[in-house]
Amino acid sequence: MAYNFSQNIWKNALLSSNHGAWALHRTISTTPVRNRVSVGRYKPLEGRKQLLTYDQAIKPHELAHKKSWNTWNTSTLEGGRRSQLTTIEDMFIRRFIHGAWFCHIKGQQIIIKRQHNIIRIAFCLPKKLPPQSVYFITGFCERLLSIWLHCPVKLEIQAVENYEGYVKIV
Amino acid sequence: MSLLSFPKMPLKGFKPVRVQLVFNHVARLASSKSYDPKSHDESEFRQLEIRPVRRDRKTSSKARMMMPRDYKRTNNIDPDKADWKSIWPGPRSFDPNSIPIPVRQGRLKPYRRAFDKYANMELMKIPSFFHIPPTTIKAQCEAIKSFCTPFPNQLNSKEKCEEHFPLTVITNDYLHSAPTIRDPLARIVTIKLKLKNIPLDEHARDKFMRLVRDRYDDKTDTLTIVTDRCPLRKQNYDYAQYLLTACFFESWTVEDWESEKTEADMEKYIWENNISAKALASIVKWSPDKLGKSIFHDTLPADELKPEHLVLGAAVKKVIEGETEEGIEEYKKAAMEVLLSKKAVGLKA
């Protein structure tokens, strides 16, 4: 297909140009499309199976039918403002929270909801974490994020049992 | 939201792979040998352990605090008696341990039951109104009532409001889910005014219309001025006030050159100034001694105009502005009434 396309371009260039041979060098190089979609689709790992949360078990094309978004804000509505900055901030928040909680977050799923100037960050934690650490890291995250993002940040944590929250094995 | 019917049973076929090095084992043994001043009394004679003995950490150090296994507060909440606004004072994400009702959301297959509220992230995503049930709204309204003043009862109708406050100022505030409350669209100010509320004579009104152009809507008699050229709302509001004031006083001024306006400059047909009125005057005022002289006459003064003359004028104006079958018919009838009716003929005779 790519060959045919460049051939057509070649012919068009020949037909349309009256300026000599230099037009023959203007061709478009294309590569065939490979429709491989793998993002957000979980497969069994080599040697073991893996547990999926509800969010992971549902494939990305079922978003808005069976599950909703992890980010809630008005920046992408019509007339919404600072959508780019909001997206970058969300990426930063996700990475920071994931690191600050030592990768303990259930299913790596962090919900970021923005209401006016408040940012609510919700996720699930295992109950086995010591409460002192949980309180300390909560305050640590809220304090640092609110300094960096210039707005109040609230962490809304749900403590869950060890195998709670997993709905599927692949 | 648990995977298995027996949640405490380890999952079948699920075994975490752990690569354990010999070095780790050695390191752990070495650490247990290390000297801890708290665990040893100073008077106690330290022993040399040829082969180190593993001590149980829990017995030696303080007992570690753990989260209680079951702290589901919902089991203790009575929905009928609980003071809900103290349980859920403000907006927040869904918390299954505070909400004493069974909520379910999300299923993988259509014939299966939806997952319950524990560890259900779908419920945490959606916005909820648990913080404003009717009882809370009522309580909050009661609380802020002392800060409110009653609406003036003299302004009991819309007409009275318009009479006392003819100027309407419209501005918009925007709320985004962002740390800033600024929005450039908030600077725009719209003022609305009904023209019947400001004194304008015919000349001033004509000039005012020319100044404001399409900002005036003749169906509702409303003037609308939108200002958005200044960066702040206050500046735009002041500018709109200035525009209104300037247009008003400008419309009342009469320039010298305005008297030079001729019939060709007229933007609409006024029958009283036109040749049709003059011709009517010459016919009405005709007498035999004017034979051979110019028949053109000045227009009739207003007190000499009879009702049928005005009807004729209206008919002429209608024909000139847009010629229709009915207009012509009306014109014919009016002209006959003026010129050939028994009254007109009788008066002449």
Side-chain angles (χ1 to χ4, degrees), chain A residues 68 74 113 116 120 156 158 165, chain B residues 1 91 93 119 124-125 177-178:
Chain A
S68 54
T74 61
K113 295 188 284 185
H116 310 320
R120 304 177 181 282
E156 288 163 351
Q158 191 186 144
Chain B
M1 200 171 183
S93 294
M124 294 172 83
K125 287 174 186 175
S177 56

Side-chain angles (χ1 to χ4, degrees), chain A residues 97-98 100-110 122-131 133-135 137-138 141 155-166, chain B residues 67 71 97 119 121 124:
Chain A
I97 294 287
H98 195 248
W101 290 93
F102 307 111
C103 313
H104 272 309
I105 288 160
K106 205 101 188 172
Q108 300 186 7
Q109 190 187 3
I110 299 164
F123 49 88
C124 286
L125 281 179
K127 270 186 190 175
K128 285 199 168 179
L129 287 179
S133 310
V134 171
Y135 291 141
I137 302 173
T138 307
C141 291
L155 258 60
E156 288 163 351
I157 303 167
Q158 191 186 144
V160 297
E161 296 291 347
N162 212 2
Y163 286 102
E164 218 173 21
Y166 292 117
Chain B
M67 276 194 180
Y71 65 110
N97 297 314
M121 296 293 276
M124 294 172 83

Side-chain angles (χ1 to χ4, degrees), chain B residues 12-46:
Chain B
K12 200 179 173 186
F14 175 74
K15 277 186 182 175
V17 174
R18 181 178 287 174
V19 179
Q20 205 167 34
L21 296 174
V22 181
F23 293 119
N24 282 1
H25 192 63
V26 171
R28 198 169 70 226
L29 287 180
S31 67
S32 69
K33 207 179 98 179
S34 64
Y35 173 66
D36 186 2
K38 284 180 185 172
S39 60
H40 294 273
D41 196 4
E42 284 185 9
S43 60
E44 190 185 341
F45 188 75
R46 287 167 56 202

Side-chain angles (χ1 to χ4, degrees), chain B residues 55-72:
Chain B
R55 292 187 186 85
D56 194 358
R57 278 187 191 173
K58 284 185 181 172
T59 52
S60 62
S61 61
K62 281 191 291 183
R64 289 179 75 200
M65 279 178 68
M66 301 285 283
M67 276 194 180
R69 191 105 180 124
D70 180 33
Y71 65 110
K72 288 170 183 166

Side-chain angles (χ1 to χ4, degrees), chain B residues 198-255:
Chain B
I198 53 175
L200 291 171
D201 69 351
E202 198 175 335
H203 165 264
R205 192 181 172 84
D206 177 52
K207 206 167 176 185
F208 198 84
M209 290 299 117
R210 287 163 190 272
L211 287 171
V212 301
R213 290 188 193 167
D214 58 343
R215 293 175 188 87
Y216 174 70
D217 180 18
D218 54 352
K219 280 181 191 165
T220 53
D221 187 38
T222 314
L223 171 73
T224 309
I225 295 177
V226 183
T227 49
D228 60 350
R229 59 173 60 182
C230 302
L232 293 181
R233 173 184 294 173
K234 173 78 168 57
Q235 295 167 336
N236 278 317
Y237 175 71
D238 289 345
Y239 181 55
Q241 296 276 7
Y242 160 74
L243 282 180
L244 183 62
T245 316
C247 285
F248 175 70
F249 285 108
E250 185 59 34
S251 64
W252 274 97
T253 57
V254 181
E255 303 290 340

Side-chain angles (χ1 to χ4, degrees), chain A residues 66-99:
Chain A
K66 290 187 175 178
K67 67 175 177 182
S68 54
W69 295 266
N70 282 341
T71 296
W72 289 73
N73 57 56
T74 61
S75 66
T76 46
L77 297 182
E78 190 187 353
R81 300 186 55 73
R82 46 173 269 145
S83 58
Q84 304 91 339
L85 201 53
T86 306
T87 313
I88 297 295
E89 279 178 7
D90 282 3
M91 287 170 67
F92 169 71
I93 290 169
R94 292 226 155 78
R95 284 168 196 218
F96 179 77
I97 294 287
H98 195 248

Side-chain angles (χ1 to χ4, degrees), chain A residues 8-105:
Chain A
N8 285 336
I9 294 287
W10 190 275
K11 280 178 197 165
N12 287 339
L14 273 174
L15 288 173
S16 62
S17 76
N18 297 321
H19 303 288
W22 62 268
L24 298 180
H25 299 291
R26 292 189 161 187
T27 53
I28 295 172
S29 167
T30 58
T31 50
V33 181
R34 193 181 175 203
N35 293 317
R36 184 174 179 271
V37 183
S38 63
V39 171
R41 285 148 219 272
Y42 291 84
K43 288 194 284 187
L45 300 177
E46 198 172 327
R48 69 175 172 101
K49 297 186 172 181
Q50 62 174 334
L51 290 170
L52 300 184
T53 59
Y54 184 80
D55 190 67
Q56 289 167 329
I58 287 173
K59 295 189 173 63
H61 66 265
E62 291 168 326
L63 188 69
H65 295 266
K66 290 187 175 178
K67 67 175 177 182
S68 54
W69 295 266
N70 282 341
T71 296
W72 289 73
N73 57 56
T74 61
S75 66
T76 46
L77 297 182
E78 190 187 353
R81 300 186 55 73
R82 46 173 269 145
S83 58
Q84 304 91 339
L85 201 53
T86 306
T87 313
I88 297 295
E89 279 178 7
D90 282 3
M91 287 170 67
F92 169 71
I93 290 169
R94 292 226 155 78
R95 284 168 196 218
F96 179 77
I97 294 287
H98 195 248
W101 290 93
F102 307 111
C103 313
H104 272 309
I105 288 160

